[in-house]
Amino acid sequence: MGFTPKNYSLYKTALTHRSVSENVDENNERLEYLGDAILGAITADYLFRRYPYHGEGFLTEMRSKMVNRQQLNDIAVRMGLKKITKYNKADHCLKTSHIFGNTLEALVGAIYLDYGYERTRRWVQDYIITPHMFMDELENLEINHKNKLYGWANKNGKALEFVTVDEKVENGRRLFTVAAVVDGESIAQATAFNKKDASQIAANKAIEILGLNNQ
Amino acid sequence: MGFTPKNYSLYKTALTHRSVSENVDENNERLEYLGDAILGAITADYLFRRYPYHGEGFLTEMRSKMVNRQQLNDIAVRMGLKKITKYNKADHCLKTSHIFGNTLEALVGAIYLDYGYERTRRWVQDYIITPHMFMDELENLEINHKNKLYGWANKNGKALEFVTVDEKVENGRRLFTVAAVVDGESIAQATAFNKKDASQIAANKAIEILGLNNQ
């Protein structure tokens, strides 16, 4: 990790999944909650400085590409956290979930408590962002949730459509609410400044609700 | 504010709403994006230390009570930010929106860039949390979104029901998806570890989608 821990017990907690300890101060759920917020701040700072002429919409989208659950989990596995996380290996559901990404967030929380924000910021940059996140690729990555949902609908004989269910003006800007409708039932809805974004977000929500994330 | 700004232009930008400047480096949207993330980290840290024996579910709920848009806007108005924010006063929509809360977030972003994380953390604690957020009250505040939605449904002759649309096991825990259904149409859905939480979150989403937040 590039440094010597001062408070070992923090790291022990960070590497303990609740499947081996239900105890709130022995498993990593609290540290994950903290680390998630710290990582969010560090990522926001990084993007703010890297892209001085981009608006907040772009920055928000880039951040969600950087710290999405799948991406963090992949990075955690590449870092070797799978080997040192304590979890119930008999529980096969855990293998397809994102518990190692959660461990990584908990580790960020532990470093923050042990060494403070500034040191954590440098660690995240040197050990997560620089070696594992390729900004040029992320910029060009278009996460097309609609296409993914259409693919699932086709394969399963479902009728999928995106319906604009509301249109209004707020703060002088038009706001559109679009629903992802499967076989006539609205699965999820989302609101954005244009229909394209609203339908992408609705599709993404629908994908989560339908449990298609790992497909 | 309790300190002398070093880089004045940051604060000028933080106090400028996009209704008076569309320019990405002259209005406060980028700083709001940054400040929102920094405030999230600071709040997470504060709650983590204040409640050493509470689980992440409680901490997450408390955080959303502390930094919700309405609460931040009220605090910003009490701090006097309404008087010094530059915005288009002819636009009456802005008066009922949360632009002053956004200004407060932008201000946090400006202080962070000007003075760093640690100083910002102390400022947020001394100038936002301690004087304006009463933790005992927030602990007891039950944000009952379902009741609010039922109230609206009754008044407008709508049939409202909460329907469990999915039940599955993930990471060894049961997950419930509940939909808020108005006149037979699913308005919003949410997933949680129990039906009570899932239906509250679904109700909250439905309130946003239906635009009932200011009622």
Side-chain angles (χ1 to χ4, degrees), chain A residues 63-171:
Chain A
R63 184 160 60 143
S64 74
K65 288 179 190 172
M66 285 171 80
V67 296
N68 80 70
R69 294 176 63 181
Q70 189 64 53
Q71 158 101 326
L72 283 185
N73 199 65
D74 293 347
I75 292 172
V77 171
R78 261 180 274 149
M79 289 172 93
L81 290 182
K82 189 172 181 172
K83 290 178 205 145
I84 56 171
T85 299
K86 284 204 258 180
Y87 65 102
N88 179 3
K89 295 189 174 65
D91 184 343
H92 294 286
C93 292
L94 291 183
K95 283 183 187 151
T96 55
S97 68
H98 301 94
I99 68 163
F100 308 112
N102 299 348
T103 299
L104 180 54
E105 289 180 329
L107 193 58
V108 171
I111 300 172
Y112 171 79
L113 291 176
D114 204 19
Y115 275 103
Y117 180 83
E118 197 43 41
R119 186 91 182 248
T120 309
R121 196 183 66 74
R122 289 202 304 272
W123 187 84
V124 166
Q125 204 157 311
D126 295 346
Y127 286 81
I128 302 182
I129 298 178
T130 305
H132 297 291
M133 293 176 173
F134 307 107
M135 307 310 292
D136 297 346
E137 275 177 30
L138 289 181
E139 273 180 55
N140 294 316
L141 175 74
E142 206 193 317
I143 302 180
N144 197 328
H145 307 293
K146 278 175 79 169
N147 280 357
K148 187 171 177 180
L149 196 58
Y150 272 119
W152 166 85
N154 279 338
K155 221 165 69 183
N156 294 279
K158 308 273 187 189
L160 169 65
E161 50 181 343
F162 290 89
V163 181
T164 305
V165 294
D166 190 40
E167 224 183 292
K168 62 182 170 186
V169 177
E170 208 180 276
N171 289 6

Side-chain angles (χ1 to χ4, degrees), chain B residues 74 80 87 95 130 143 157:
Chain B
D74 293 348
Y87 65 102
K95 285 185 184 149
T130 306
I143 302 180

Side-chain angles (χ1 to χ4, degrees), chain A residues 5-17:
Chain A
K6 287 190 283 192
N7 182 348
Y8 268 94
S9 73
L10 283 172
Y11 300 86
K12 197 176 154 189
T13 306
L15 295 169
T16 303
H17 184 255

Side-chain angles (χ1 to χ4, degrees), chain B residues 153-170:
Chain B
N154 279 338
K155 222 167 68 183
N156 294 278
K158 309 272 187 190
L160 169 65
E161 50 183 344
F162 290 89
V163 181
T164 306
V165 293
D166 190 39
E167 222 181 293
K168 62 182 170 186
V169 176
E170 208 182 277

